Structures are given as C-alpha cells and as structure tokens.
Amino acid sequence: MGAVHQLLMEFGKEEAVKADVDRRVIEAAAAYLASEESEIGFLYSGWAQAALPHRRLPDDAPWQVITNHVTLLVQPGMRPGKPPVSIGVPYGSRARLILLYLQSEALRTGRRDISLGRSLHAWLRRLGIPIGGRSMQDVRDQAERISRCRMSFDVMQGNRLGLANQTILDTAMFVKGDGDSPGDQFIETATLSEVFFNQLKRHPVPIEESAIKQIANNSLALDVYCWLAYRLHVLNAPTPISWSALKEQFGQGFGRLDHFRKQFRHTLVMALSVYPAASVDVHERGVTLNPSPAPVAPKTLRLATVGGRAPAKR
C-alpha cells in the first residue's frame, strides 16, 4: 500500500490532510478507500498505450501518437453543410469517459449495440459528472467528434500489423436538431465496429469505476491509471521507463521535457492515489514499474463478467 493510503488507514483523513501532500491527492485517495462501489469497466489495450489529446486542437488537425508497439491516428470528421465543416478530433476527459462507457457496456452485455440516453446519463451520474448545462454540452460535443472522426490503431505483432484503419463506431451517437445544441438528442443505441469489438474482446483492460470516478476530470491521470492497470500486473521484473519515452506517449502537448517531467510526477501521484496496490519508483532518469497486482482481482473480474456483483472494497 502506498504512503498516502497508509497515512489514511493509520491516522484518518483529518490527520492526513496535515501532511505535506497535495490535498487533492488526499481527497481522491480517501474517497476511493471509502467507496463501496464495485463496478468494473473495460477498455481496449490500445487505449492504455496511446490516447487522445488533452486539449482542443485546430478543427482540421489530425492527431497521432507513436509508441514502440502502437500507433494511434485520429482524423477529424466532417459535418455536412455548404461547405462541409471539419469539427475536430475528440479530446479531454469527457471523450475518454464516453469511450470507456461504450467499451465497458459492450463487454458487459456481449453486444456491439450499446444503449445510450438514460443509460449514459446514469453512468455519468455515477461518476459524479453533471448532466445539465455546460457539462452536457461538452458531452454532446465530444460524442459528435467521436462519431464523425476516424480513429485507427496500428498494432505491431512481431513483423505484422494488427488492427488498422478502422473506425470505432459503425453508427453515430447523436441526432442533429434544427437549432443549437439544446435541440440535439442522443439516439437509443450506438454500434461499435465489428473489428474493434473483436479486438476489445481479445485485449480488454479491466479497471475500477470507483477509481475512475475520483480522477474523472483529469485526462492525463486517466491515461496514466489505465496504462498502469495494463502494464504492472504482467511484469516479471522491475522495468525502467525513460522520461523521453514517457513524454513520447503522454506528453505531446509539452514543448520542454523538464515541464513534462514536473507535471507527470504530480499526475502519477494522483493516478496512484486510486491504485493502492501499484508499485512505481520515480528517479532522475524516469520511472521504474514494479510487478504489482492488477487493480481488479481475477476473482472479482470473473464475477463482473458473468453478471454477478463483486464484493465491496475493505
């Protein structure tokens, strides 16, 4: 268990906040430990290795992340008109949460068709995301961007490429009304593309929704948490990762390595606040990932995938 969690377990939140630790980290860790929710979410392993941008890009700009094993390319979609309008690639925490919902529901139900509307609203509420006003406008905007864009993963498997040049969705997640955004409505279902759904079933990464809830507004922390959930439990020995490799995967929006390094250190602490079993060492050359239990125990995962309910955290 990490130092923050040990502090909370031994002395409680009131004493922990007096320590020299970012209060937001204490709050996230305390809320995670206190949560009795046990829902399990899933994402395709490619998203744990390459992710969407954190901030809005120019509407006609593509997005690309290249790592040792995965290349993600996102091409902005077009909205019909005279002339057609490029609407930009999805970005930020809301886009990540929508994609996580779609993938989690697909694996829970075993179907490519995913219910939206009330189901999506209920899931956002569960994560503490408001569903009215500006927040819902952001959700609608990201839903349209996801629906219209083309996302492709090139996955290296030895000398072969895996999933490539595929859209994530076969059907859109919205209906455009005649007026402004208040006239937009979600349709009843969205459909994952068959190729992406098959890859998701072969390579799922299980995560805890109670962890996602505490970092739901921090897109970089979401990426780091999912990466750790994917990497740590399969390691056989401590694995060093250099700062330059970390910046290549997580820090394309940073011009200078020292600026990224400072931000990543803080974000890593936030991600670890909701992953108590994770063991990661930070040093001058980068970080070292140590073999650690997965955030979702195998028994709990079996219960979740057969429709049972997992036990609450203790």
Side-chain angles (χ1 to χ4, degrees):
M1 177 176 287
V4 170
H5 305 95
Q6 192 68 41
L7 191 64
L8 286 164
M9 295 292 286
E10 290 185 4
F11 302 104
K13 181 178 173 182
E14 290 186 5
E15 290 299 316
V17 295
K18 298 177 183 178
D20 186 22
V21 180
D22 188 327
R23 187 182 180 96
R24 290 170 295 181
V25 172
I26 295 290
E27 295 282 357
Y32 169 80
L33 291 175
S35 174
E36 295 186 355
E37 297 175 8
S38 57
E39 297 294 336
I40 307 302
F42 300 91
L43 73 154
Y44 168 56
S45 62
W47 288 115
Q49 302 172 73
L52 296 170
H54 300 290
R55 297 181 177 85
R56 182 173 183 167
L57 302 181
D59 287 344
D60 59 350
W63 172 255
Q64 182 172 256
V65 178
I66 301 175
T67 69
N68 289 337
H69 302 289
V70 169
T71 296
L72 167 66
L73 176 63
V74 186
Q75 299 168 281
M78 304 289 290
R79 182 187 297 136
K82 298 181 180 180
V85 178
S86 179
I87 62 169
V89 301
Y91 64 91
S93 62
R94 298 297 185 261
R96 286 160 169 81
L97 296 178
I98 293 169
L99 286 169
L100 180 57
Y101 168 78
L102 295 175
Q103 293 167 95
S104 298
E105 284 297 296
L107 284 190
R108 284 174 186 145
T109 63
R111 296 173 54 87
R112 292 195 294 135
D113 296 327
I114 301 140
S115 297
L116 297 172
R118 291 181 180 177
S119 298
L120 177 58
H121 289 176
W123 188 76
L124 291 172
R125 285 195 191 96
R126 205 158 71 224
L127 294 183
I129 305 299
I131 61 167
R134 175 61 185 272
S135 180
M136 201 59 199
Q137 291 179 25
D138 290 342
V139 169
R140 291 181 185 278
D141 175 52
Q142 296 305 320
E144 181 179 11
R145 289 167 182 263
I146 290 169
S147 296
R148 293 195 185 278
C149 77
R150 186 175 186 85
M151 306 183 195
S152 63
F153 283 99
D154 290 347
V155 182
M156 292 301 300
Q157 300 173 333
N159 294 322
R160 298 188 307 167
L161 282 177
L163 176 63
N165 298 322
Q166 293 293 329
T167 57
I168 301 300
L169 291 172
D170 277 350
T171 63
M173 289 190 290
F174 63 93
V175 172
K176 184 67 178 175
D178 294 331
D180 297 329
S181 56
D184 296 348
Q185 294 181 352
F186 283 109
I187 59 176
E188 290 299 319
T189 60
T191 304
L192 294 182
S193 72
E194 184 173 3
V195 172
F196 179 75
F197 182 54
N198 288 336
Q199 289 294 321
L200 172 62
K201 289 190 293 184
R202 292 191 189 102
H203 307 287
V205 178
I207 51 89
E208 288 187 292
E209 281 191 8
S210 58
I212 295 298
K213 180 178 181 178
Q214 308 311 322
I215 56 175
N217 292 312
N218 187 328
S219 60
L220 182 54
L222 289 170
D223 291 348
V224 174
Y225 171 82
C226 293
W227 174 62
L228 295 176
Y230 168 68
R231 289 295 307 273
L232 294 183
H233 71 102
V234 298
L235 297 177
N236 295 316
T239 303
I241 311 291
S242 69
W243 287 118
S244 59
L246 290 168
K247 185 176 183 296
E248 186 178 69
Q249 180 173 345
F250 297 106
Q252 292 198 22
F254 292 83
R256 291 173 45 171
L257 181 60
D258 58 334
H259 290 170
F260 166 75
R261 186 165 56 231
K262 180 179 180 180
Q263 180 62 48
F264 187 85
R265 284 174 180 266
H266 171 75
T267 303
L268 176 62
V269 173
M270 182 62 73
L272 293 174
S273 74
V274 294
Y275 191 170
S279 176
V280 181
D281 299 321
V282 182
H283 44 77
E284 194 60 32
R285 297 181 302 278
V287 304
T288 296
L289 306 181
N290 301 303
S292 306
V296 179
K299 180 179 180 181
T300 305
L301 181 58
R302 287 196 298 271
L303 285 168
T305 53
V306 298
R309 293 193 61 82
K313 292 191 293 295
R314 300 298 184 192

